[in-house]
Amino acid sequence: SSLDAGPSNFVDGACEGTLACSTCHLIFDENIFKQLDPVTDEEMDMLDLAYGLTETSRLGCQIC
Ligand code: FES
């Protein structure tokens, strides 16, 4: 799948993956979004603050 193709740390946001920012906000295609691990409560709290939040938004630093 396309998820297997990328490097393991493809997103670095301002807080370097500590869920203290939302600069790593990514919007996925729905078919890819469905393959990702579930969103944790901690990620959701920070996602809520992301600009332009969508149904298929994730914080990139939590994906890999
Ligand atoms: Fe800050 Fe992802 S890098 S929440």
Side-chain angles (χ1 to χ4, degrees):
S1 78
S2 58
L3 282 179
D4 299 325
S8 60
N9 285 313
F10 71 95
V11 175
D12 278 316
C15 78
E16 301 182 326
T18 60
L19 284 172
C21 72
S22 56
T23 60
C24 58
H25 178 209
L26 294 177
I27 298 169
F28 288 91
D29 288 339
E30 192 169 340
N31 60 340
I32 294 176
F33 183 82
K34 286 186 301 193
Q35 299 178 50
L36 303 175
D37 290 336
V39 185
T40 63
D41 289 346
E42 291 79 11
E43 183 182 349
M44 186 57 73
D45 285 349
M46 196 53 64
L47 261 179
D48 281 340
L49 304 178
Y51 177 76
L53 185 67
T54 76
E55 291 282 303
T56 59
S57 290
R58 293 296 302 265
L59 292 178
C61 67
Q62 303 303 302
I63 302 301
C64 294

